[in-house]
Structures are given as C-alpha cells and as structure tokens.
Amino acid sequence: MMFESLINAVESTVNAVNGVLWGSLLIYVLVAAGVFFTLRLGFIQFRLFGHGAKLVIQGRKKVNGISSFQVFCTSMAARVGTGNMAGVAVAITVGGAGAIFWMWLIALLGMATAFIESTLAQVYKVKDSEGQYRGGPAYYMEKGLGQRWMGILFSILLIIAFGFAFNAAQANTMTDALNNAFGLDKTLVGLVIVLASGYIICGGLKKVARASELIVPVMAAAYFAIALVVLISNIDQVPAALTLIVKSAFGWEEAAGGAMGAMMAGIARGLFSNEAGMGSAANIAASATPNPNHPASQGFVQMIGVFVDTIVICTASAAIILLSGVLANPAGHEGIGLLQLALSNELGSWSAYFIAFAIILFCFSSIIANYSYAENNILFLTKNKNILYVFRALVLAMVMTGSVASLKLVWNFADVSMGLMALVNITAIVLLSKVAFAVVKDYERQIKQGVQPTFDAAQFPEIKGVEDGEWADEKT
C-alpha cells in the first residue's frame, strides 16, 4: 500500500511538472527562440530553402565517415515516429482542424532554431579515438560556453529520455501493433526487436547511419504515397479542408478546442514532433562530414529535416483524417485508432496492416536513432568506450521491458527529461548565437562570391574552444 501511494505521488508530481513544461513554459520559450533566430537569420528558411534541399541531395556523395545524407536520415528516423500519426490525430481531436495551422507555423519557425543548433554542433565537434566525429549540445556547452556542468546535465537528461524511456515506449507501440494486427505474442516480438536492435546498435554510429539511410526513404515514401492516394481520391474536398484549417485556427469556425485550444494543441504537437530546439538532432548533426565543407551546410540539412517531418509527414496524416470525413463520426476512436478508421474508410480493411507495417518501420528506426544520440552523450560523460557494452545491454533490456509492459510513468518522466533538456539547450544556443550568426554570414558570403564554402577556424579568433584540426582533416 505504501509503495502504491509512493508511485501515485511520483506520478502526480511528474504530471504536474509536465503540465507546466509542455502546457505553457516550453511553448513560449521555443516560439520566442524560433522568432528570434528567424529574424536574425533574415528568414533563411525561406530565402535559401531550395539551397538546403539541394544540400540534402548533394549529401549522398560518399565521404570518409558519415555523409550528410546519412545524418539527415538518422535524424529523421528519430523525429518521425508514431507521433506523426497518432499525435496528429490527438491534436485534431483536442484542438480541431485549426491545430494543423499552428503546427505548420511552429515548424517554419523551428527550422531556424534547428539550423542554429546543428551549425553550432558542427563548429564544436571533436574526433574520437577511431576518427569518428562527435558533438552536440553537451560539447558546445563545454567548449563554447566553458560550462561542462551544463553539458553533463544535458547529457543525463538526454540519456534518460532517448536512451531508455523513449525506446521502451517505441518497443511497446510495436508489440501492441503486431499483437492487435496479427495476434503475435508480445514476448516473442520483443525478443525479435531486441535482436534486430542489438545487431544495429552494436555496430556503432556508422551502422546506425547506414540502416537509417535504407529504412527512412522507404518509410517516408510509402506513407506519403498512401496519403497521396487519399488526397487524389478526395481532391474536390481539399479547398474546404484548407478553409476549415484556417477558420478553426483563429476561432472563425466552431472547433473542438476553440482558437486557443487549436493553437496550444498544434504548437505542442509541432514542437514535440520536429524536436527543433530540443538539442537531440544536433547530436547526430555533429557526426557528419559535411558537403560543402562548412558547419552551416549541416544547419541547412537539419532545417530541411524539420520541414519534412512536420510540413510533409504530419500533414499527410492530417490530410488522411480531414479528407476521410471521420471527424463527423469518429465512433469513439482517437489517436492511432482514428487514423486507422480513416484509412479503412478510404482504402479498405487491408490498410490496418499497412499501419502496422508503418509503425514497425517508424518505431524501429526511432530506437536505433535514439540510441545513437544517447551513445554520443555517454562518450561525453566518459571517454572510456568499454562502458558502451554495459550501456547497450541496458538499452536492450529497456526495449525488452517496454515490449511486454505498459510504462506510462516512464513515458511521462521522459517528457519531463525532454522538456528540461530543451530549456538547457535553448539557453546555450541563445548564448552562443553570435558564433552561429558569424559562421552563417561567412557561409553566405562565400555563396555570393560563387565559391564552394569552406570553414577556416583561424579566421574566427573570437570563437573560443574551436580546434582547426577537425576541419583541416576534412579539406580535400
């Protein structure tokens, strides 16, 4: 009885903290950061969107190490998950169609934030003993700000959220999906997930990047293709759906949560999905050998990642729900169930199997990408690579636990860790923003001169903690 009371007290506290973090504080902080960086960068996400898209494609070029495209796919593997399906459905249920408008807006602002944190991750990256680049928020907090304690705090929060809790939740979602669709035993499915995950993560960052490069394009293309079928078959309803989104966003149309409900639901969904400002994707952004050979090029790549996650994939989910007409008669469904009902109405019962397939790809890719983020921070805390064997075993044990048990408290605690992690990261990138602005200005200057941008740290004596050796090694 005492243990149960303790659990209930902890759960209440965690929920209360989450309410403050995700209900108001984080939304204001991340929106303010997005506006600030958008203005200071001169709306770079719009001015140079085409250039960013070009760099993603150009990043497929083979390099010594991990390519920009592999890093793009790995960050997308972590960003894109069941939240892009179930989360969008929940946002629409809670805030009405207008939530989609605010989800779009926060993504467009978040593109600038993602640009800054990924550029900084490249500026302050280091090489490990095997020649692999490492970096991210913990590294630029230590090297750029001279605050190792801040990096340690960030690393611990990220490891809790991405290394353990989110991976357990992803495994739980996969086993539920396969159990519901095919009646497969959860324990057996869990063992398969552990074996498959173990094979990838034990190969380190390079194997994670190669796996993501194979899985993510297939995953995104298949889901987008299904949404496109629904869109084409209901093309006459598109103008009405867009009108509903705009009217509901500003309270001009009666909606589930009114204008404020739509705004809060859409902004929270967008922030949680694209992770801009969280500092998570910056961990893998630092590992790239960029093309062109300049920190800002990886900023462009991650900026496009936010666009694809929210404007493309989340919008695909929204289109399926809004155009199918299920909101008029949801039959008690919400979350992923609402999306499944929408697809079943449009494409038939076979679509339930497609959703199960999509969930498997989305969740598995998230597990291996989340691990790569956590590994990066384990090595920040300790340079001893032998600790990775223990860490991998713990991660896989958590995946197995999540496969067979419901871990609502763990998931909620992960939300707290992720929220606090975002606050620490936003503080750091605002303090280091002058560095990022100078680096971006240097990149744009070279682009205007018609030359291939390169980065010479010696030209930036005001930037503390940067060693030119990492960049000299990349020059070709």
Side-chain angles (χ1 to χ4, degrees):
M1 182 67 71
M2 184 179 295
F3 180 74
E4 185 177 342
S5 298
L6 179 62
I7 292 294
N8 290 336
V10 171
E11 189 168 3
S12 297
T13 302
V14 168
N15 289 339
V17 174
N18 265 332
V20 173
L21 282 174
W22 292 99
S24 56
L25 182 59
L26 267 178
I27 289 177
Y28 296 130
V29 169
L30 291 172
V31 169
V35 171
F36 171 64
F37 293 132
T38 294
L39 293 175
R40 287 293 281 109
L41 291 172
F43 296 87
I44 198 169
Q45 64 267 55
F46 305 108
R47 288 190 298 109
L48 294 174
F49 179 86
H51 181 74
K54 177 184 175 182
L55 293 188
V56 172
I57 298 170
Q58 184 176 305
R60 295 183 67 95
K61 180 181 177 181
K62 288 187 177 181
V63 295
N64 291 326
I66 300 177
S67 71
S68 288
F69 185 72
Q70 288 177 322
V71 165
F72 171 80
C73 289
T74 305
S75 64
M76 288 303 299
R79 283 190 177 109
V80 178
T82 54
N84 294 72
M85 297 183 289
V88 171
V90 170
I92 293 174
T93 302
V94 173
I100 304 306
F101 175 88
W102 297 107
M103 182 183 72
W104 290 337
L105 180 63
I106 197 61
L108 294 175
L109 292 174
M111 289 169 71
T113 306
F115 188 106
I116 292 291
E117 63 186 0
S118 296
T119 297
L120 288 171
Q122 274 283 320
V123 169
Y124 293 103
K125 67 184 181 182
V126 299
K127 268 186 181 178
D128 66 16
S129 58
E130 296 176 0
Q132 172 64 58
Y133 289 118
R134 303 274 178 183
Y139 293 79
Y140 56 66
M141 288 167 192
E142 179 182 41
K143 297 184 70 180
L145 294 176
Q147 304 296 327
R148 180 167 173 79
W149 70 266
M150 200 175 184
I152 290 172
L153 175 60
F154 178 89
S155 293
I156 292 171
L157 292 170
L158 184 141
I159 291 165
I160 290 170
F162 285 83
F164 299 126
F166 287 165
N167 279 344
Q170 297 290 353
N172 186 265
T173 302
M174 288 174 71
T175 53
D176 276 349
L178 290 171
N179 179 261
N180 294 335
F182 307 107
L184 297 179
D185 180 73
K186 288 187 176 184
T187 301
L188 181 60
V189 172
L191 288 172
V192 173
I193 296 171
V194 167
L195 290 173
S197 301
Y199 173 73
I200 301 296
I201 69 177
C202 287
L205 287 185
K206 288 186 178 180
K207 183 165 281 190
V208 169
R210 285 195 294 269
S212 298
E213 186 180 22
L214 293 174
I215 296 172
V216 169
V218 172
M219 170 179 84
Y223 192 62
F224 186 71
I226 288 291
L228 198 59
V229 170
V230 174
L231 178 67
I232 293 172
S233 62
N234 295 280
I235 194 69
D236 58 317
Q237 298 178 42
V238 171
L242 290 174
T243 301
L244 177 63
I245 288 172
V246 175
K247 285 185 174 181
S248 299
F250 296 98
W252 299 334
E253 181 109 2
E254 186 176 348
M260 186 56 67
M263 183 186 297
M264 299 301 279
I267 290 175
R269 177 66 261 147
L271 291 174
F272 199 86
S273 176
N274 62 55
E275 299 179 15
M278 302 293 174
S280 49
N283 286 275
I284 195 67
S287 68
T289 300
N291 182 22
N293 178 34
H294 195 286
S297 65
Q298 190 55 221
F300 281 108
V301 170
Q302 293 305 315
M303 178 184 84
I304 298 299
V306 172
F307 180 88
V308 173
D309 170 84
T310 307
I311 306 299
V312 177
I313 299 178
C314 285
T315 299
S317 296
I320 292 170
I321 294 168
L322 295 177
L323 296 176
S324 68
V326 293
L327 290 178
N329 183 25
H333 291 280
E334 59 183 20
I336 197 70
L338 188 65
L339 184 63
Q340 287 176 317
L341 178 63
L343 279 178
S344 294
N345 289 350
E346 292 295 311
L347 304 175
S349 58
W350 69 269
S351 61
Y353 300 111
F354 171 79
I355 288 293
F357 170 73
I359 287 173
I360 292 168
L361 287 183
F362 282 19
C363 292
F364 180 72
S365 63
S366 290
I367 288 173
I368 61 175
N370 289 346
Y371 165 79
S372 71
Y373 293 175
E375 177 188 290
N376 200 49
N377 285 272
I378 285 288
L379 292 178
F380 173 81
L381 295 175
T382 171
K383 307 303 180 186
N384 183 3
K385 283 200 168 186
N386 290 328
I387 196 68
L388 289 180
Y389 296 110
V390 176
F391 179 63
R392 288 165 183 166
L394 291 174
V395 169
L396 294 175
M398 201 66 181
V399 168
M400 188 65 215
T401 302
S403 298
V404 297
S406 178
L407 300 170
K408 184 179 179 180
L409 178 59
V410 172
W411 176 259
N412 290 339
F413 190 66
D415 288 347
V416 171
S417 294
M418 189 177 185
L420 294 175
M421 175 179 123
L423 292 178
V424 175
N425 183 58
I426 288 294
T427 301
I429 63 176
V430 168
L431 292 174
L432 288 169
S433 59
K434 288 185 178 179
V435 171
F437 298 148
V439 171
V440 174
K441 184 178 179 180
D442 176 65
Y443 183 92
E444 289 202 62
R445 175 184 58 77
Q446 294 182 64
I447 287 291
K448 289 176 182 176
Q449 291 175 347
V451 300
Q452 181 87 333
T454 57
F455 182 67
D456 181 3
Q459 295 182 12
F460 298 87
E462 73 276 17
I463 301 180
K464 306 299 181 183
V466 177
E467 297 171 13
D468 193 33
E470 285 95 22
W471 291 98
D473 289 344
E474 289 180 5
K475 293 178 182 178
T476 56

